[in-house]
Amino acid sequence: MSEEFFNWQMTCDRFAQEGDVRGIRACAAEVRALTAPGAAAEADAMEAEAALYGGDAEAAERFARSAVEKDAHHFRGCLALAGALGAQFKLASELPLLAALTHELEAALLPGRAKEAGITDEKEQEAWARHLRQFLFRARGFEADAAYLAADPERAAEALRHASALAPDIGMAANLYSKHLFMTNYRTLPPQQKRLDAEMFGEFFQGVQPYR
């Protein structure tokens, strides 16, 4: 993977975290001009992400499908496609896609996989891992929403638990775990397991001074 291509991917991630549609589209234009392998699929996926953030789910689906036609396992493309399908309540198509995507992202985060992707520099490997964890976090969020709407509280609860572990800050992690606990009200679990899950919520507040 060329350094320029890699840098544009990381830049797009920052714009995506900020919800900056124009910034994402600017990255897509730069990537489309590259001759690097995979650049065309990445540019389509970035356009899909921009359309999704801009509220145009149909355009997002078109761009995302174009990306995955070029590369069936394209992470950004598959994530954008899942988001676009979810926005249109196409849950029967979204949920299997998310199952495959989360499995592939978890496998890509295993030791040594960054080198297989052509990333040899240690700092770039760390950046790539953050890039994949961000995708996995968003995929788990999409999965929780879709499973809830599909009346599958068990899958929604598990997705929220995984999302909590991937959250970028402690406040968001606690919020997602709280939603996980709420969702367990709709699951058949032994009382001891429910109590253990609830007690683990206290781990988010170690060192917090209680209000008096």
Side-chain angles (χ1 to χ4, degrees):
M1 182 183 297
S2 73
E3 183 177 355
E4 185 178 12
F5 188 17
F6 180 83
N7 288 338
W8 281 119
Q9 288 177 292
M10 300 303 106
T11 301
C12 185
D13 286 353
R14 291 196 293 273
F15 284 134
Q17 287 178 318
E18 297 166 2
D20 186 339
V21 173
R22 292 179 66 183
I24 297 171
R25 285 186 174 139
C27 290
E30 294 291 342
V31 169
R32 201 174 294 283
L34 300 177
T35 57
E42 184 70 18
D44 284 342
M46 289 176 175
E47 290 283 7
E49 199 164 34
L52 188 61
Y53 277 105
D56 190 343
E58 291 183 0
E61 183 178 353
R62 287 196 303 273
F63 276 115
R65 288 196 183 280
S66 178
V68 298
E69 282 171 8
K70 294 178 177 73
D71 178 358
H73 304 282
H74 193 277
F75 292 144
R76 194 188 301 273
C78 289
L79 182 64
L81 180 56
L85 293 171
Q88 298 172 83
F89 298 98
K90 298 178 181 179
L91 307 179
S93 298
E94 182 189 13
L95 284 167
L97 175 61
L98 286 168
L101 176 59
T102 54
H103 176 76
E104 290 181 9
L105 283 167
E106 286 170 349
L109 282 163
L110 293 173
R113 294 299 296 272
K115 285 186 179 179
E116 293 177 17
I119 303 167
T120 55
D121 181 79
E122 282 191 20
K123 289 186 177 179
E124 288 188 354
Q125 287 179 8
E126 291 172 5
W128 182 250
R130 288 194 300 272
H131 167 77
L132 296 183
R133 282 194 294 269
Q134 180 190 347
F135 282 174
L136 185 55
F137 172 68
R138 291 170 58 196
R140 289 298 189 184
F142 287 159
E143 182 183 18
D145 289 342
Y148 175 75
L149 291 171
D152 188 347
E154 292 199 359
R155 183 169 176 179
E158 281 305 296
L160 286 164
R161 182 176 65 81
H162 285 294
S164 175
L166 292 160
D169 61 73
I170 191 69
M172 188 178 294
N175 183 45
L176 289 166
Y177 195 84
S178 176
K179 291 179 179 179
H180 159 74
L181 290 176
F182 175 79
M183 201 62 61
T184 59
N185 291 328
Y186 303 96
R187 301 171 70 193
T188 303
L189 292 172
Q192 297 88 340
Q193 183 62 51
K194 285 193 174 185
R195 176 167 181 163
L196 178 61
D197 286 351
E199 287 176 345
M200 289 178 66
F201 188 59
E203 297 294 319
F204 293 106
F205 303 99
Q206 287 188 355
V208 175
Q209 179 65 40
Y211 178 74
R212 296 182 184 275

